[in-house]
C-alpha cells in the first residue's frame, strides 16, 4: 500500500467543492449534524479511534458518488459510507474524520423483474420495504435481519447481515446476484448481474458482501427473489434447561427431516429483560430457555402435520409445553419478544459487552457450558439469545458491581473469545468487525490471512481512503 498519511484536511473550500459536485443541499458541515451521523448503535466512547466526520454528503446518484470518490482520491480524504447507522460494530463510524457518505437519498426500488426473479435497488432502501415489495408479487426477499424495519440494504450487503432465516436461505450475501460499485478512485463498475451462475473472473460480489465499506462503495444491488411460502407457523417451546433446548435443535433436521426457516433461542435472562421492557408476559417466564421455531409451507395440511411432528419431538425431548402461533397476531407477538431483547438490554444496563460469536452448530452446547465457566471465573453474568440454528449466539456479558467491574468484563470477553476460538468458532457471525472488534481479529485470523486482507485492501484502495482503520489492525 502507498504511504497513507497524512490525509488531506477538510476545509471550508472542501465543503464548497463538494457542494459544487453534488449540489449545496446535499452537503453539510453543520457540527450538530456531523455528530449525529458519526455514530452507530455502539457507544462511540467504547470504540478505539472513533472520530467525527468533517463533511456530510448525501449523494442522489451513482454519478454523485463517483464524483465524490474521485475528489477524495485526488485530495486523499477518507470516506466512510453510511447506511441507517444501525450497525453493531462501529463500521459506519469514521476513524480518521473526512467525508461521511450517507445513502438515505438513494432509496429507490428500481426494478422488480418477475421474469428473472430479481429486484434491483439503491443502497438506501430500508430492508423491510424490499420484503414488502416482493411479497406484493407473492415473492420472497429472504434477507431478514431483526433490524430490518430500520437498516438499509446497502448496510446489510456491506455487513453481509444475517438474521432470522439464515438457516434456510443463507445470509444477505447469498441473496446478492450483482452489485454496482464505485471504486476508491471514482470509477464505476458492475460485479455480477442478473445471472444465477457466474464463474467468469473472481467472485467479487461475495468479496464485497461483508467488506464493510472498506473496498468499494455499493451504489446498486441486484437481489434474488424466491417464491413466497403461502403459510407460516411459529412454535414457542419452553425448556427446563438450556442443555435440553440445545439438544433438541438438531433433531428438527435429523429426526423430523425438516429445514425450519428460523430456530432462535432465548435464555431465561433474555426473556426476563424483554418482558420487562415490553411490559408483557410469555406463558412460562421461568423456563431456562425458549426455542422459537418457524416452519413454512404451501399446503396448509402438510404444514400442520409438520408442526405437529416438530411439536411432538419438542415434548419428547423435554419441552415443558409447545405453543403454536399460526396467525399473524400471535406470530407477531412472539417475534416482538425476540426482537426486543437487544433494545431491552441497552435500556436496562449501562455497561455490557454485546458479542456476536459463532461456533459450529454442534458446538453450541459446549459454548453454553463455557459461558457458565466464564461467569464463574470473572464474576460476570450473561444473557444468551440469537440464531441458535446457525450456531450464532448474541451473548451479552454484564460486569459485576464495583470498581473492578470494567476490568473483569474485559477479561471475561477475552476469555470467551479464547474459548470460542478453541471450539472452531469465530469473532462475529453477522454484526461485523468495524472498529469495535478490529483489535481482536488476530486471535481468529493467522498472520498469512491478516497480511492477505491488507493486500486485498491495498489492491482496491491503494491510498487507504475508504473507511480506513477497519476490520484488521493496519488496514
Ligand atoms: C436492534 C438491532 C437488531 C439487529 N439485528 C441484526 C440481525 O438480526 N442480523 C444482523 O446481521 N445484524 C443485525 N443488527 C445490526 C445491523 O442492523 C446490521 O449490521 C445492518 O446490516 C446495518 O445496516 P445499516 O444500514 O444500519 O448500516 P450502517 O450501520 O450504517 O453501516 C454498516 C456498514 O456498512 C457500510 N456501508 C453502508 N452502506 C454502504 C454502501 N452503500 N457501500 C459500502 N459500504 C456501505 C458502512 O461503512 C459500515 O461499515 C441489528 C442491529 C440492531 C440495532
Amino acid at each position: 500500500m502507498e504511504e497513507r498519511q497524512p490525509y488531506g484536511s477538510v476545509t471550508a473550500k472542501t465543503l464548497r467543492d463538494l457542494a459544487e459536485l453534488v449540489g449545496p443541499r446535499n452537503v453539510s458541515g453543520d457540527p450538530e449534524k456531523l455528530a449525529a451521523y458519526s455514530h452507530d448503535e455502539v457507544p462511540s466512547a467504547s470504540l478505539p479511534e472513533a472520530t467525527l466526520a468533517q463533511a456530510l454528503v448525501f449523494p442522489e446518484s451513482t454519478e454523485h458518488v463517483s464524483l465524490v470518490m474521485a475528489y477524495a482520491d485526488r485530495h486523499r480524504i477518507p470516506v466512510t459510507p453510511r447506511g441507517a447507522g444501525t450497525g453493531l460494530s462501529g463500521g459506519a463510524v469514521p476513524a480518521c474524520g473526512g467525508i461521511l457518505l450517507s445513502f438515505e437519498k438513494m432509496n429507490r426500488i428500481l426494478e422488480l423483474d418477475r421474469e428473472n426473479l430479481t429486484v434491483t435497488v439503491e443502497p438506501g432502501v430500508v430492508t423491510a420495504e424490499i420484503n414488502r415489495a416482493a411479497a406484493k408479487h407473492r415473492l420472497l426477499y429472504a434477507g431478514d435481519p431483526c433490524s430490518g424495519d430500520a437498516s438499509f440494504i446497502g448496510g446489510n450487503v456491506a455487513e453481509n447481515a444475517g438474521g432470522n432465516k439464515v438457516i434456510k436461505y443463507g445470509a444477505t450475501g447469498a441473496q446478492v446476484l450483482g452489485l454496482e460499485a464505485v471504486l476508491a478512485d471514482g470509477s464505476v463498475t458492475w460485479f455480477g448481474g442478473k445471472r444465477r451462475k457466474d464463474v467468469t473472473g473472481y467472485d467479487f460480489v461475495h468479496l464485497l458482501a461483508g467488506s464493510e465499506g472498506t473496498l468499494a462503495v455499493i451504489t446498486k444491488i441486484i437481489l434474488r427473489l424466491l417464491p413466497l411460502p403461502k403459510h407460516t407457523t411459529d412454535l414457542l417451546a419452553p425448556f427446563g434447561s438450556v442443555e435440553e433446548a440445545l439438544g433438541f435443535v438438531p433433531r428438527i433436521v435429523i429426526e423430523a427431516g425438516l429445514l425450519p426457516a428460523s430456530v432462535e433461542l432465548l435464555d431465561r435472562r433474555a426473556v426476563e429483560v424483554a418482558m420487562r421492557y415490553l411490559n408483557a408476559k410469555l406463558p412460562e417466564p421461568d423456563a431456562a430457555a425458549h426455542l422459537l421455531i418457524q416452519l413454512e409451507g404451501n399446503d396448509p395440511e402438510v404444514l400442520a402435520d409438520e408442526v405437529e411432528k416438530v411439536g411432538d419431538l419438542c415434548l419428547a425431548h423435554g419441552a415443558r409445553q409447545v405453543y403454536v402461533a399460526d396467525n399473524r397476531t400471535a406470530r407477531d407477538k412472539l417475534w416482538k419478544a425476540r426482537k426486543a431483547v437487544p433494545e431491552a438490554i441497552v435500556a436496562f444496563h449501562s455497561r455490557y459487552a454485546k458479542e456476536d460469536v459463532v461456533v459450529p452448530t454442534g458446538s453450541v452446547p459446549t459454548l453454553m457450558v463455557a459461558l457458565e465457566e466464564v461467569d464463574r471465573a470473572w464474576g460476570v453474568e450473561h444473557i444468551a439469545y440469537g440464531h441458535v440454528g446457525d450456531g450464532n449466539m448474541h451473548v451479552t456479558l454484564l460486569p459485576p458491581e464495583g470498581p473492578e467491574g470494567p476490568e473483569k468484563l474485559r477479561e471475561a470477553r477475552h476469555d470467551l473469545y479464547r474459548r470460542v476460538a478453541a471450539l472452531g468458532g469465530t469473532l462475529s457471525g453477522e454484526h461485523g468487525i468495524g472498529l469495535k472488534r478490529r483489535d481482536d481479529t488476530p486471535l481468529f485470523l493467522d498472520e498469512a490471512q491478516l497480511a492477505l486482507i491488507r493486500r486485498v485492501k491495498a489492491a482496491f484502495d491503494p491510498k487507504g481512503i475508504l473507511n480506513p482503520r477497519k476490520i484488521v489492525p493496519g488496514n
Side-chain angles (χ1 to χ4, degrees):
M1 191 178 293
E2 288 178 36
E3 178 51 47
R4 293 181 307 182
Q5 295 290 355
Y7 286 117
S9 40
V10 174
T11 61
K13 179 172 180 326
T14 318
L15 291 170
R16 282 198 304 277
D17 289 348
L18 289 168
E20 224 164 83
L21 293 174
V22 301
R25 63 178 180 170
N26 292 325
V27 178
S28 174
D30 172 1
E32 261 184 40
K33 264 193 161 178
L34 291 170
Y37 277 82
S38 294
H39 66 82
D40 63 5
E41 289 289 328
V42 184
S44 293
S46 69
L47 294 173
E49 296 185 50
T51 60
L52 291 183
Q54 296 155 301
L56 191 51
V57 177
F58 301 94
E60 294 185 43
S61 64
T62 301
E63 194 201 350
H64 280 176
V65 178
S66 169
L67 289 169
V68 171
M69 287 313 301
Y71 181 88
D73 178 67
R74 275 199 307 282
H75 297 274
R76 211 165 224 181
I77 296 173
V79 178
T80 306
R82 177 189 164 92
T86 68
L88 291 171
S89 58
V93 178
C96 304
I99 298 169
L100 201 133
L101 213 47
S102 173
F103 281 95
E104 63 202 60
K105 292 189 180 175
M106 288 179 68
N107 61 358
R108 289 174 303 159
I109 295 181
L110 298 171
E111 180 197 40
L112 194 143
D113 179 346
R114 295 174 58 157
E115 293 302 309
N116 286 303
L117 289 176
T118 59
V119 59
T120 304
V121 296
E122 291 185 320
V125 179
V126 172
T127 316
E129 278 181 30
I130 305 175
N131 301 122
R132 284 194 290 268
K136 272 190 197 154
H137 295 267
R138 282 197 250 121
L139 293 168
L140 171 74
Y141 166 60
D144 186 29
C146 286
S147 51
D149 284 330
S151 67
F152 291 174
I153 188 66
N156 290 174
V157 175
E159 293 289 357
N160 193 10
N164 307 314
K165 293 187 172 165
V166 173
I167 185 173
K168 185 166 180 186
Y169 299 106
T172 301
Q175 320 310 323
V176 181
L177 296 177
L179 294 174
E180 181 191 70
V182 176
L183 303 182
D185 64 359
S187 47
V188 182
T189 187
W190 265 100
F191 299 116
K194 289 187 179 179
R195 305 174 288 274
R196 296 274 153 167
K197 294 172 91 174
D198 185 347
V199 291
T200 313
Y202 292 132
D203 186 355
F204 286 119
V205 170
H206 295 105
L207 177 59
L208 289 201
S211 64
E212 302 190 14
T214 62
L215 301 183
V217 184
I218 297 160
T219 44
K220 287 192 186 79
I221 303 157
I222 300 180
L223 299 161
R224 72 169 179 163
L225 298 174
L226 298 164
L228 183 70
K230 287 196 180 112
H231 304 282
T232 303
T233 299
D234 289 300
L235 293 86
L236 183 73
F239 286 79
S241 76
V242 176
E243 295 73 34
E244 279 175 318
L246 294 174
F248 168 70
V249 173
R251 302 292 118 208
I252 307 172
V253 176
I254 296 168
E255 284 184 40
L258 296 170
L259 186 59
S262 305
V263 186
E264 299 285 307
L265 177 117
L266 294 99
D267 76 359
R268 179 166 32 224
R269 289 195 189 100
V271 169
E272 250 167 40
V273 76
M275 293 302 100
R276 201 172 135 212
Y277 182 67
L278 295 173
N279 195 15
K281 274 203 169 76
L282 286 182
E284 311 232 5
D286 63 329
H290 280 80
L291 288 180
L292 178 55
I293 302 161
Q294 184 168 94
L295 298 172
E296 304 169 322
N298 288 328
D299 182 327
E301 281 175 23
V302 173
L303 181 61
D305 280 352
E306 292 176 351
V307 167
E308 195 177 334
K309 203 172 184 181
V310 172
D312 288 347
L313 264 180
C314 276
L315 294 170
H317 285 84
R320 290 179 178 179
Q321 192 49 269
V322 176
Y323 302 91
V324 175
D326 56 6
N327 62 69
R328 189 86 238 179
T329 314
R331 291 180 44 231
D332 284 353
K333 200 172 149 201
L334 296 183
W335 280 98
K336 194 172 172 192
R338 159 64 186 90
K339 290 184 181 183
V341 181
E343 286 164 39
I345 292 172
V346 175
F348 294 123
H349 297 280
S350 55
R351 279 185 188 279
Y352 47 80
K354 253 186 172 183
E355 302 305 322
D356 176 42
V357 293
V358 55
V359 296
T361 47
S363 300
V364 178
T366 322
L367 172 68
M368 300 308 277
V369 174
L371 267 172
E372 299 290 344
E373 290 167 4
V374 170
D375 282 3
R376 282 196 294 278
W378 305 104
V380 297
E381 278 191 357
H382 73 263
I383 300 175
Y385 66 100
H387 316 298
V388 68
D390 316 323
N392 182 199
M393 293 305 294
H394 299 322
V395 174
T396 302
L397 301 174
L398 304 171
E401 300 277 331
E404 79 287 11
E407 181 55 19
K408 295 256 184 200
L409 185 63
R410 212 175 57 79
E411 294 285 0
R413 192 159 60 88
H414 287 120
D415 189 7
L416 171 66
Y417 290 170
R418 283 189 293 273
R419 291 167 189 264
V420 166
L423 290 173
T426 197
L427 185 54
S428 175
E430 57 177 28
H431 293 165
I433 303 301
L435 277 181
K436 178 177 165 175
R437 303 185 175 91
R438 177 194 66 191
D439 297 335
D440 298 304
T441 45
L443 185 61
F444 297 90
L445 304 173
D446 64 19
E447 260 316 311
Q449 234 184 111
L450 291 169
L452 187 58
I453 287 175
R454 291 182 197 115
R455 290 205 299 277
V456 170
K457 165 75 173 159
F460 272 84
D461 179 21
K463 294 185 183 170
I465 56 170
L466 253 177
N467 211 358
R469 302 262 195 271
K470 303 285 172 68
I471 300 192
V472 296
N475 234 5

